[in-house]
Amino acid sequence: MRPVLRALLPTAAAVLLLALGIVWLAEGPGATASPADAPTPGTTREVAIRAQAWGFRPRVVRVAPGETLRLAGISEDIQHGLAINDLGVNLQLRAGQVARSPAVTVNLPEGVYTIQCSVFCGLGHASMKAKLVVGSPRAAPGSGAPWIASLLGLAVVVGVAFRAGRPRG
Amino acid sequence: MSTTPGAGLDRRELTRLGPVRRAVLLPSFQFWTVLPTLALVVVVLVSAAVGLEHPSANFGTVVTWIVWWGGLLVSFVLVGRAWCLVCPIGAIPEWLQRLSPWWGSRYTAGLGLPWPRRLRNLWLPTALFVVFVFLDNGYGMSNSPRMTAGLIAVLALGAAWVSLVFERRAFCRYLCPLTAFIGTCALTSVFELRRRDPAPCRNACPTKDCYRGNARRYGCPMGEFPGGGLESNLHCILCTECVKSCPHDNIALRWRAPGRDLWAMSRPRLDGACAAAVIVGLATVVPLLALAFLPELRSLLARLLPAGVPPNDPPRLAAVVLVFGVGLGATLGLLHAASLLSRWASGSARVTTRALFTRYAYALIPVGLSKLLADLLDHAFRTWGVLSNVTSALLLDFPWNRVMPERASATDLLGPLAVYGLQVALLLGGLLWSLEALRRTAPGPAADRASGVASFLPIAGLALVLTLASLWTLGSGLL
């Protein structure tokens, strides 16, 4: 087993370091954007959202249940979309031009909803998302999903490693 | 490790089936397969050139970047490079060169010069693929109808020009910006076109018609030599010219283990391996770095470079170049380090780091391909209905596509968490596929299991890291 240990130790150390780096990159720099202003019930609030490849600022928009919103989106680079499917909003964002949605009332249960780019905009399009937080839900339901998926990935590697070294067919 | 045909493979031969055999032996087979895509590409070109500038309402952009791109990714696994079989951008210049859509012609409109020897590799196509992806991510080509039309026009004119100067499909093999991508991903296919038995090719075939052609049929348009022992799908476009031209009926289309080329190529080349590593890096590492650093990097570079009007904004374009450079450099560097560690762990003096790097790069393709598919899965499920919207818009003003539909839907078929679940399944499937390929390529004497496991661990660790990058990039929206 000595050769296995000799390979396992540096590999495990490198994977751990890189994995921590990945989690930091995915959660870190972009996630520090501040939430939108606190909601003011009874008025139509304009929420300004800036889009760039590949993210929105702010990344979290907080609204009160029943609040009326008008979304004002602008792209800082190429064309993007700003869609909140749960509210039926889908704006096309061009560089430097503000696009405004009609006033929409947030008649949604308390929870976390997805704000997403609706125009296929390149390599990072699938991760171009932000959150619409209605009310004060406890936690986003999917926040633990990447952790579970990562553990499953590790299990796959361990499973195949047990088969490695056997005669190849 | 090369493919060794034998009698036992007959059950997997599709060319034994009557309808398949009749279809591939039909002289006009490729012509008929190209016609539908030619009609579609003409409509796409017209709507992208003069239609609505809204990328989600333009038929040309949606069909090109969602339907075609998605279909292309899926087709690699099912039918390898079969897109090249039906691609009109490659076929029409070929008809022009031969002065015939399918029948054997004695005349040619081309000079028929051989492609320069120094360029007979995938280095240039890999660089062109990176430029292609940069144009998309720097200038937003995939959400600009006019740029999409320009791309199609440039590719069509370039292919026509090259076919009039150089022999065979030189453009498709050495210049198309997608050839390195399509070729390396086609290694995952479940189909292959190969000779049945090496003996007739070696001993009874002085004419080598599958390569040279004859009075009735053409040789391989991609310059491959199936009778000489073609052993990968890298350049095979399944045009079946070799099936038709072989005088010994010795070429067969058959099923095989999915992605067999990933581990079974006897002479994998470094240029193709680097193309594979670049594809994997662009799919996994570059999006993560862009997600984390692109806006900050742009702000930083704005202090050094004059700002412009997007997309011609020098600080942003420089930031994209930097992210691409660092991401691809990191991918190649990590692959080299894993190969080095694997060699050291194997304790084998016979294997070189370069040989391992080359084999491992090909085996990692499923990790990259599954990420590209996962990206598209999100778009397909979360902006469901866009294809019907653009088709309605096209029909309102066919084929110009200048009339905006009254209502564009913003509906989703699945919620974000369900889509993420599917993406995870896809990414873990890609990881498992790559690990199986890596397990079969990792060095280590068969008698010494510990060395085999030891040499496998470093590259398996890298496959896991690349998958984690994809899992966390896609999961960042859920956090």
Side-chain angles (χ1 to χ4, degrees):
Chain A
M1 287 308 286
R2 225 176 130 193
V4 175
L5 275 180
R6 204 172 55 171
L8 184 62
L9 292 178
T11 301
V15 168
L16 190 65
L17 269 178
L18 289 167
L20 288 174
I22 287 166
V23 175
W24 178 75
L25 287 176
E27 283 193 313
T32 55
S34 58
D37 298 336
T40 316
T43 57
T44 298
R45 181 160 63 101
E46 183 163 290
V47 176
I49 298 181
R50 303 185 81 83
Q52 78 279 317
W54 291 278
F56 294 102
R57 286 166 189 241
R59 275 184 71 175
V60 181
V61 176
R62 293 185 182 281
V63 297
E67 188 181 356
T68 303
L69 293 180
R70 188 188 302 279
L71 295 167
I74 187 168
S75 168
E76 293 180 344
D77 43 45
I78 55 179
Q79 292 197 51
H80 294 288
L82 194 167
I84 306 174
N85 291 356
D86 306 278
L87 292 179
V89 171
N90 188 7
L91 300 177
Q92 187 200 4
L93 309 183
R94 290 170 183 271
Q97 295 176 21
V98 179
R100 286 190 170 79
S101 74
V104 282
T105 304
V106 184
N107 289 321
L108 297 169
E110 286 201 355
V112 181
Y113 301 87
T114 302
I115 301 171
Q116 66 187 37
C117 176
S118 56
V119 171
F120 196 73
C121 61
L123 282 174
H125 167 70
S127 29
M128 190 168 166
K129 291 186 173 71
K131 284 192 289 194
L132 177 75
V133 179
V134 180
S136 310
R138 285 187 177 173
S143 55
W147 290 104
I148 297 168
S150 303
L151 289 175
L152 285 173
L154 184 63
V156 169
V157 172
V158 172
V160 179
F162 273 109
R163 295 185 61 204
R166 288 181 188 169
R168 285 143 210 165
Chain B
M1 277 194 274
S2 60
T3 305
T4 312
L9 294 174
D10 284 357
R11 278 178 297 136
R12 293 185 291 172
E13 258 190 40
L14 274 99
T15 28
R16 293 277 187 216
L17 302 173
V20 177
R21 184 170 177 76
R22 278 194 292 279
V24 298
L25 286 177
L26 195 68
S28 54
F29 169 68
Q30 193 178 2
F31 176 77
W32 294 114
T33 59
V34 169
L35 276 192
T37 43
L38 175 60
L40 184 66
V41 167
V42 169
V43 174
V44 162
L45 188 59
V46 171
S47 71
V50 302
L52 296 162
E53 285 215 55
H54 189 311
S56 292
N58 184 285
F59 184 80
T61 47
V62 171
V63 167
T64 305
W65 300 110
I66 310 296
V67 180
W68 169 78
W69 180 247
L72 187 68
L73 296 176
V74 175
S75 75
F76 293 144
V77 182
L78 299 176
V79 280
R81 284 192 78 138
W83 163 253
C84 304
L85 164 70
V86 298
C87 172
I89 292 172
I92 293 173
E94 188 177 55
W95 301 343
L96 189 67
Q97 185 190 57
R98 294 171 173 179
L99 290 175
S100 103
W102 70 78
W103 57 85
S105 166
R106 284 189 298 151
Y107 306 103
T108 172
L111 298 177
L113 299 178
W115 184 251
R117 189 170 290 275
R118 290 176 71 88
L119 296 177
R120 290 181 194 173
N121 49 55
L122 287 179
W123 295 115
L124 181 59
T126 305
L128 290 171
F129 179 64
V130 175
V131 171
F132 170 80
V133 180
F134 171 76
L135 281 177
D136 185 20
N137 294 278
Y139 285 93
M141 187 169 62
S142 64
N143 51 25
S144 163
R146 304 297 180 261
M147 284 182 72
T148 301
L151 174 77
I152 296 171
V154 166
L155 290 179
L157 292 173
W161 183 82
V162 171
S163 77
L164 291 176
V165 177
F166 296 102
E167 62 178 354
R168 304 182 194 245
R169 285 196 178 203
F171 179 86
C172 301
R173 177 158 178 159
Y174 297 114
L175 275 177
C176 173
L178 288 171
T179 191
F181 175 64
I182 293 180
T184 46
C185 289
L187 303 179
T188 60
S189 171
V190 297
F191 282 116
E192 62 182 16
L193 203 56
R194 301 286 190 272
R195 65 183 180 187
R196 286 195 186 99
D197 179 2
C201 302
R202 281 192 201 130
N203 309 325
C205 190
T207 53
K208 314 295 181 201
D209 291 0
C210 61
Y211 175 74
R212 293 181 186 146
N214 53 41
R216 291 177 302 107
R217 298 302 325 161
Y218 294 95
C220 177
M222 294 295 278
E224 287 292 300
F225 180 23
L230 177 69
E231 60 157 19
S232 93
N233 285 354
L234 194 59
H235 298 296
C236 176
I237 60 171
L238 299 175
C239 66
T240 66
E241 281 289 350
C242 54
V243 180
K244 294 185 249 292
S245 62
C246 177
H248 305 284
D249 188 20
N250 196 31
I251 310 280
L253 180 67
R254 63 187 179 217
W255 297 96
R256 62 174 191 178
R260 190 174 187 277
D261 292 345
L262 299 175
W263 63 84
M265 280 190 288
S266 64
R267 296 182 302 274
R269 287 174 47 142
L270 186 64
D271 54 340
C274 285
V278 163
I279 291 161
V280 173
L282 283 172
T284 58
V285 180
V286 170
L288 178 68
L289 294 181
L291 178 73
F293 295 123
L294 196 56
E296 284 73 17
L297 212 50
R298 194 244 163 231
S299 306
L300 210 64
L301 289 167
R303 296 179 196 165
L304 305 170
L305 297 167
V309 179
N312 291 310
D313 179 25
R316 184 178 173 276
L317 294 175
V320 175
V321 169
L322 213 58
V323 165
F324 270 46
V326 172
L328 295 181
T331 309
L332 291 166
L334 286 170
L335 181 55
H336 182 75
S339 308
L340 205 66
L341 193 56
S342 178
R343 176 175 173 252
W344 174 71
S346 75
S348 170
R350 285 180 304 165
V351 68
T352 63
T353 306
R354 178 177 161 154
L356 287 181
F357 178 97
T358 307
R359 289 200 169 279
Y360 289 166
Y362 285 109
L364 287 173
I365 288 171
V367 167
L369 188 56
S370 61
K371 170 61 168 45
L372 294 173
L373 276 167
D375 285 347
L376 207 72
L377 202 67
D378 177 83
H379 189 78
F381 283 121
R382 300 288 299 155
T383 52
W384 188 253
V386 89
L387 184 60
S388 63
N389 289 337
V390 293
T391 308
S392 314
L394 178 71
L395 293 176
L396 287 173
D397 181 31
F398 184 84
W400 314 110
N401 197 198
R402 294 165 302 190
V403 178
M404 192 76 181
E406 274 190 22
R407 188 175 174 279
S409 63
T411 54
D412 50 35
L413 200 63
L414 290 175
L417 198 56
V419 173
Y420 187 67
L422 290 177
Q423 289 173 321
V424 169
L426 203 56
L427 292 172
L428 294 183
L431 173 66
L432 183 63
W433 194 355
S434 273
L435 290 173
E436 275 299 316
L438 289 166
R439 187 178 71 82
R440 291 160 190 254
T441 54
D448 181 4
R449 189 171 174 213
S451 294
V453 176
S455 61
F456 170 75
L457 285 175
I459 189 63
L462 178 60
L464 176 63
V465 165
L466 295 171
T467 304
L468 291 180
S470 301
L471 289 170
W472 281 87
T473 306
L474 293 173
S476 64
L478 302 169
L479 297 170

